Amino acid sequence: MNIFEDTAPRATRHRPLRVAVLGCSGSIGSQTLDVCRQHADKLRVVALSVHSSTKTLVEAAREFGAAHVAVSDHAHVADAVLGELPGGCVMHAGAKGVVELGELPDVDCVVCAVVGAAGIASGYAALKAGKVLAYANKESIVVGGDLLMPLVRPGQLIPVDSEHSAIFQCLVGERTTDLRRIWLTCSGGPFYGRTRGELASVTAADALAHPTWNMGQKITIDSATLMNKGLEVLEAHHLFDVSVDDVRVLIHRQSRIHSMVEFADGSVKAQLGPSDMRIPIQYALSYPERWEAPCDRPDWCQEPPLTLGEADEHAFGCLALAREAGRVGGTMPCVMNAANEVANAAFRQGRCGFLDIERIVSNVMNVADIQRVESLEQLEECDAQARATAQAALLEVCP
Ligand code: MG
């Protein structure tokens, strides 16, 4: 018994928790499987999906004894390697197949780690089916927040993004009406401190040498442009019902403070820890409990000084664009996200320069026709239209 017992959350979880990992071959997906491996007594992997990495899917299905798998890319649903799936394992195909995994009756928790805006339909279906949703896909919340958030019951959606996990952890036991501001920490990315003149000539290879976190390629470029932080501002706005202007970005180079919340009385709570994505992933699966650490613990006496500072929204224009998209609301975040996915991919392919990413996003946002968000179909249409406009803008900016 301790004095906090009465304010502790009382969520109950099936034990072992039966987990579906959507996007299991990516960075978050494979780290999720690592957490499941380390806590095999508490977590059982029952369903797995990949886009096209069927070999990885088969290996994981055999290791964990998954009962259901899905391959979203139709070009890979007949790969020969799928003949080596464990006996009795049910195969689901296409984007629809991935959604089906999140609705299975023997799944308690869906870890949605698919990349980009493709995660909305599966998150939506998982919430409708009453599953706990560990949502690693920030684009889905940014684009579909107006549709997703009204479905969420308390304790049903647990963020996996490290900053949002930190905010969630700081808010446990608090009254949300006392929340005034969120301080979202940002490492600054690999190009921290550079001028626009210097940024004009950086390459994707420079950006992919990210200093702190182990991440996929799309998010690594987003971290370099600070679009990742912009998306996270919008993600925090939806998850914690705070206006975009009350989500402040704080440059914190050491990546030890994962974010902070400020309350009515001026008190600030922060969550600190190692820079290892397995911690927020594990917390999303263990909440309201805490399990043994999946990685080494830092010796806090030996840590370098922790610094805080302001983000340079002039040099890194994507951050300002994201905030603007949040202020406009409606389908504007969908337009911005789609344009960014096109520009991000073009930069990785060497088809445009670093600063062209924000030029393309800005050009597409300027001509967009913005509506209230009403359905998944509308968002899909808006996304496709914005991608086409972005392709045209790419040709204009980089002929
Ligand atoms: Mg993050």
Side-chain angles (χ1 to χ4, degrees), residues 138 160-165 184-185 213 215 219 223 228-229 232 235 258-259 277:
K138 69 191 80 186
V160 170
D161 212 348
S162 61
E163 296 80 359
H164 304 76
S165 174
L184 196 67
T185 53
W213 296 92
M215 304 185 295
I219 186 175
S223 296
N228 180 55
K229 208 50 57 178
E232 290 183 353
E235 182 185 9
H258 299 316
S259 275
M277 277 311 295

Side-chain angles (χ1 to χ4, degrees), residues 37 74 91 128 223 234 267 306 312 386:
R37 207 171 274 129
H74 282 287
M91 166 81 184
K128 280 234 154 184
S223 296
L234 302 186
S267 288
L306 302 182
D312 184 351

